[in-house]
Amino acid sequence: MTDHHRRQIATGLTAIVPAAGIGSRMGAECPKQYLPLAGKTILEHTLGCLLSHPAIAQVIVALAPHDGWFDALPIAADPRILRVEGGAERAYSVLNALQVASSDWVLVHDAARPCLCHGDLDVLIAAALTCDGAILGSRVRDTMKRTDAAGNIVATVEREQLWHALTPQMFPTVRLKRALEEGLALGASITDEASAMERAGFPVRMVEGRADNIKVTRPEDLSLAGLFLSQQA
């Protein structure tokens, strides 16, 4: 692939945001992506970051069938946002979005990762276009332990070359669609897009990103995400 071809592909990209989950661990009255954070909802921060990047022309949001919150968001009126129905699992939501994606490559990003930086997007896009796809990650810094079912430590896991998988994850649209379809048909465990591509035999490049690209999962994550957003601003 020539540099000119890479530059052509790296414009007009489609970002997919699976946002059909309920986020039960937050214990909130609404799905976690609609919780307030620094004057907006978590989802608005996430979508705003993607839409403001010059390489992204469209964002496809996969919503729960009876989502009653999205239409009330000001950003929902942005003509670059396309909505599809989400599925019971993340893989089904992403697959539904892939059915209508028009670009050769797609980036899939968690709805509850509002602290993504454009610098990480730049590095990810550049890396992905040199191979079969890439994901953002952060190196494991803590000592890792493995336990048995009773919670007793049985081993210390070597942390060298061990990473936390983050998003976005960027892959060729057709290949990702095929990998998800094949994995789901066989009942494989698909925890993220990279796991589907790995299972299909494609090498996936790990790209080191910022550790503040956190996923809001528990109540204490909200204040931490707010701190990171204020620092980025």
Side-chain angles (χ1 to χ4, degrees):
M1 187 186 300
T2 66
D3 289 341
H4 176 68
H5 191 202
R6 289 192 185 98
R7 286 193 295 270
Q8 284 184 314
I9 293 176
T11 57
L13 292 172
T14 296
I16 293 172
V17 179
I22 60 173
S24 57
R25 280 178 288 183
M26 290 295 294
E29 296 182 355
C30 64
K32 64 183 177 183
Q33 57 267 29
Y34 296 113
L35 290 174
L37 173 66
K40 300 179 181 179
T41 62
I42 292 172
L43 184 56
E44 285 178 289
H45 284 288
T46 300
L47 296 177
C49 176
L50 294 170
L51 288 168
S52 61
H53 192 279
I56 297 175
Q58 181 187 56
V59 177
I60 303 175
V61 185
L63 300 170
H66 304 294
D67 183 295
W69 296 272
F70 187 75
D71 285 341
L73 303 181
I75 202 168
D78 193 302
R80 295 170 293 173
I81 293 179
L82 179 64
R83 309 172 203 182
V84 296
E85 184 173 307
E89 298 178 15
R90 173 195 180 94
Y92 290 105
S93 293
V94 174
L95 190 54
N96 287 348
L98 286 169
Q99 308 290 348
V100 297
S102 58
S103 58
D104 293 335
W105 288 71
V106 294
L107 301 101
V108 184
H109 186 54
D110 295 329
R113 287 191 191 272
C115 303
L116 175 66
C117 292
H118 279 190
D120 274 6
L121 271 172
D122 293 337
V123 173
L124 174 68
I125 292 169
L129 293 177
T130 67
C131 52
D132 291 303
I135 75 171
L136 285 178
S138 63
R139 295 182 185 274
V140 169
R141 295 177 173 84
D142 301 309
T143 299
M144 304 298 291
K145 303 289 186 180
R146 188 182 305 280
T147 67
D148 58 20
N152 299 308
I153 295 174
V154 297
T156 297
V157 181
E158 177 58 54
R159 69 186 177 201
E160 291 300 319
Q161 298 181 326
L162 201 60
W163 296 72
H164 296 285
L166 310 177
T167 67
Q169 303 190 356
M170 180 173 168
F171 299 103
T173 304
V174 173
R175 287 183 180 178
L176 178 58
K177 181 174 178 291
R178 186 181 304 123
L180 287 172
E181 289 173 338
E182 292 175 355
L184 290 171
L186 294 174
S189 175
I190 301 175
T191 55
D192 62 357
E193 294 66 49
S195 64
M197 294 293 283
E198 294 160 30
R199 188 200 158 279
F202 294 107
V204 179
R205 180 79 51 83
M206 179 66 76
V207 177
E208 187 162 13
R210 294 170 55 121
D212 58 3
N213 181 15
I214 65 168
K215 185 176 183 180
V216 177
T217 303
R218 300 182 182 278
E220 58 266 28
D221 296 332
L222 268 176
S223 58
L224 189 57
L227 174 64
F228 288 151
L229 286 173
S230 65
Q231 290 175 337
Q232 291 173 6

